[in-house]
Amino acid sequence: MSDALLDREPQTEPEITDALVAAHGLKPDEYQRILALIGRTPTLTELGIFSAMWNEHCSYKSSKKWLRTLPTTGPQVIRGPGENAGVVDIGDGQALVFKMESHNHPSYIEPYQGAATGVGGILRDVFTMGARPIAAMNALSFGSPDHPRTRALVSGVVAGIGGYGNAFGVPTIGGELRFHAAYNGNCLVNAFAAGLAEADSIFYSAASGVGMPVVYLGAKTGRDGVGGATMASAEFDASIEDKRPTVQVGDPFTEKRLMEACLELMATGAVISIQDMGAAGLTCSAVEMGDKGDLGIRLDLERVPVRETHMTAYEMMLSESQERMLMVLRPEKEAEARAVFDKWDLDFAIVGETIPEDRFLVLLDGAAKADLPLKALAGSAPEYDRPWVPSPAPAPLGPLPGIAPAEALSRLMASPNLASRAWVWSQYDHMVMADTVVRPGSDAGIVRIHGTEKAIAFTSDVTPRYCRANPERGGAQAVAEAYRNLCASGARPLATTDNLNFGNPEKPEIMGQFVGCIKGIGAAVAALDMPIVSGNVSLYNETDGSAILPTPTIGAVGLLASLDEVIRMAPAAGDTLVLLGETTGHLGQSILLAELFGREEGDAPPVDLAAERIAGEFVRAAHREGLLTAAHDLGDGGLAVAAAEMALAADIGARLDAAEDEPLGWFFGEDQARYLVVTTAPGPLLIAADKAGLAAQVVGRVGGGAVTLGEEAIPLADLRAAFEGGLPRLMYETPAVES
């Protein structure tokens, strides 16, 4: 007997009660909608299917209204939102496929596997479209450094990302790491992946053709992850530990084989459409394929390869076991396709077919376990125009504290939110495939396109403090900083993916944060020509009613025509430091106040999108013309932190001139649209900036063995010890707790 035909015991259908409906995350009015659609009480399997398709994680029922307002098109866009990943043209018949999505709830419950399977899921989103992954990133947010669970979460998540990504063999080339008390009960683990494909060989998920075989590919189905998507669409409470069984378990070596098998299969011409099995597993993949192709789907579950006995239809339809795909196959290619998967020692099973009716028919041993209108499952999910209220204007910033700039810089560089991330990225393989040009620790990671002169830059950014104080400014700033990171690396920004992490959208103040951030993001990507081509929404990031900071993470990609366009961050002795952009000394919501004084006060900095574009284009042009040799954008910590990071990157000192007044604002203000650049010819650079309508001034020189702010010097060795020791101190000098 085959694995797909393991013994099953007869199953008794339970009574569908209000409690059972509620346990599936469905509101009473949503259940009434289901009854109206199908004209009867659903079976348990049908209830589970509706729960999977109509939860927040899969249906975007609270966010669709606002997501439609985002700019998603442009001449560089081959495919925007709606597929497994976005696709942009990078010239020469090549395309970049990329996306970011979250695995927050699973990672809090089971840090290693939650993070690992987040990496696996985003990689499948990329190679299911026919692209070979070339780069990965992650954006991580954890609770306060002194919270008893933070250390265990950081350790487990980082190990999970490294364990899966390293074994699979994709370079992790950048990302983010932050700590804040708002994430104490709900960490964020946002995974990004990008892959390279031929522009005319992209594979999509829409099924086509009646009577075409529906094929299950990859690993066997188990019970891991049952109800995962529904779990990720609700707040946490005291029952968190009870949700451990809903976390999936991943196998990167199976994933690697699955990728190679899929790419080989795609080359045979056998694939009509293909979809990875992620959230909601077999249910979501089958429904989405049928819906996009205006077809029905019949599944025969007794043919599904399983690894556990007595699995029910409910379990098979809702399992989120990893490393699985669903494909619609050209029937004449069945033998050829099967041979490919046999070679890679992976399951290949015809589990159904496409049908002309608007019907999702699920059979087990000939008995109908679900018989539903397919379009209704996909297209009739609730869509809410949630009530929202604008975030209140923040109170004005009060009197500034007194602290010497040198002391402030030393303490900031040692703080968990600014210290070196080497402890994290040293656990990731960032050189596998041998195409990494710029490693983690710079404004953007850069990977060359093998066999060409081109390279791709990757970055991710958001400042949640700004988003809470002023959501619209914060959303725009996240895009603007991603734009600056790409420009500071020499790359022409192409497009973005977003991962919108918020609390409970049923609270008008949380929904107001979401709306404000969307408005800011939309304005920024339009002004900077960086359309949103893919993304993910993660809501209900709350525990016991306490929400995370609004965290709309922006992942951005840029193109370099050749490696000659790469701008490094490290200066050389004798070079001149030039500040580009206007400085007012904005300290509202600054990291200086937050980290050193526990004050998150004032407004987020203004964002002038026209100024951002002028400055970014100038930096790239000035480098091409030989007017600058290194660059770094100004973000958290302003001018002083940027200069310190450049000095540490080059292992050489730097001197910054002091301001006549307001030294804290001058050194640590977080005004936007600014870069610190390095030049051997300050005169021509200043003239060129003036012609471009860009403020520019000489602010210091490179050299010596210290970072000097005015008259205060910090030995470079002391600064390095503070900077590089920050995270190890957090991880090894605080008491360990059980995860």
Side-chain angles (χ1 to χ4, degrees), residues 42-226:
T43 66
L44 177 64
T45 301
E46 289 173 333
L47 183 68
I49 288 171
F50 271 108
S51 169
M53 293 303 301
W54 285 15
N55 63 56
E56 192 72 55
H57 190 79
C58 293
S59 74
Y60 298 109
K61 58 191 177 185
S62 297
S63 58
K64 281 189 285 192
K65 169 184 168 69
W66 296 101
L67 295 178
R68 295 189 188 105
T69 68
L70 291 171
T72 59
T73 59
Q76 71 273 48
V77 178
I78 296 174
R79 191 65 178 237
E83 278 292 339
N84 290 290
V87 187
V88 294
D89 190 340
I90 60 169
D92 306 312
Q94 295 179 311
L96 190 74
V97 178
F98 66 99
K99 186 184 180 183
M100 179 181 285
E101 67 178 17
S102 63
H103 234 224
N104 305 337
H105 291 66
S107 298
Y108 188 81
I109 299 165
E110 189 66 58
Y112 185 98
Q113 289 296 348
T117 52
V119 175
I122 199 67
L123 289 169
R124 283 195 305 281
D125 281 338
V126 168
F127 70 73
T128 198
M129 298 192 70
R132 182 173 291 276
I134 61 169
M137 297 191 301
N138 49 80
L140 312 176
S141 301
F142 296 100
S144 174
D146 59 1
H147 187 271
R149 205 163 149 73
T150 294
R151 177 178 167 184
L153 287 171
V154 174
S155 181
V157 165
V158 170
I161 292 168
Y164 201 103
N166 296 350
F168 179 87
V170 62
T172 300
I173 57 163
E176 294 182 278
L177 172 66
R178 71 178 53 82
F179 299 89
H180 192 284
Y183 306 101
N184 281 348
N186 203 125
C187 61
L188 301 184
V189 178
N190 299 332
F192 170 100
L196 189 66
E198 297 301 312
D200 60 356
S201 300
I202 306 296
F203 288 82
Y204 300 109
S205 56
S208 65
V210 174
M212 297 295 110
V214 175
V215 185
Y216 176 112
L217 306 169
K220 291 178 171 56
T221 293
R223 291 186 173 91
D224 50 317
V226 172

Side-chain angles (χ1 to χ4, degrees), residues 178-180 183 417 462-471 474 549-551 587-595 599-605 635-637 670:
R178 71 178 53 82
F179 299 89
H180 192 284
Y183 306 101
N417 279 310
V462 66
T463 307
R465 298 186 310 277
Y466 296 171
C467 295
R468 180 173 62 182
N470 190 324
L549 295 179
T551 312
L587 286 171
Q589 298 299 327
S590 66
I591 199 166
L592 174 82
L593 294 182
E595 286 294 316
R599 291 172 55 182
E600 296 181 28
E601 302 170 9
D603 206 346
D636 276 346
E670 296 178 5

Side-chain angles (χ1 to χ4, degrees), residues 421-446:
R421 272 65 182 125
W423 183 89
V424 174
W425 55 255
S426 64
Q427 298 182 55
Y428 306 151
D429 189 339
H430 46 273
M431 295 304 293
V432 65
M433 301 175 71
D435 286 320
T436 303
V437 176
V438 176
R439 306 180 185 190
S442 298
D443 287 309
I446 298 178

Side-chain angles (χ1 to χ4, degrees), residues 24-25 27 51-52 54-61 105 227-236 504-506 537-541:
H24 282 77
K27 302 289 176 65
S51 169
W54 285 15
N55 63 56
E56 192 72 55
H57 190 79
C58 293
S59 74
Y60 298 109
K61 58 191 177 185
H105 291 66
T230 301
M231 175 266 293
S233 302
E235 295 183 33
F236 282 151
N504 186 341
E506 297 169 46
V537 179
S538 174
L539 304 178
Y540 295 95
N541 290 290

Side-chain angles (χ1 to χ4, degrees), residues 3-4 216 218-222 224 305-307 321-324 347:
D3 292 319
Y216 176 112
K220 291 178 171 56
T221 293
D224 50 317
V306 296
R307 64 171 188 262
S321 295
Q322 299 292 286
E323 294 85 41
R324 303 180 301 158
D347 280 292

Side-chain angles (χ1 to χ4, degrees), residues 12-37:
T12 304
E13 282 286 323
E15 180 184 359
I16 305 300
T17 63
D18 291 346
L20 189 60
V21 170
H24 282 77
L26 293 164
K27 302 289 176 65
D29 62 318
E30 294 173 339
Y31 182 63
Q32 290 302 313
R33 183 182 296 206
I34 292 170
L35 296 179
L37 279 170

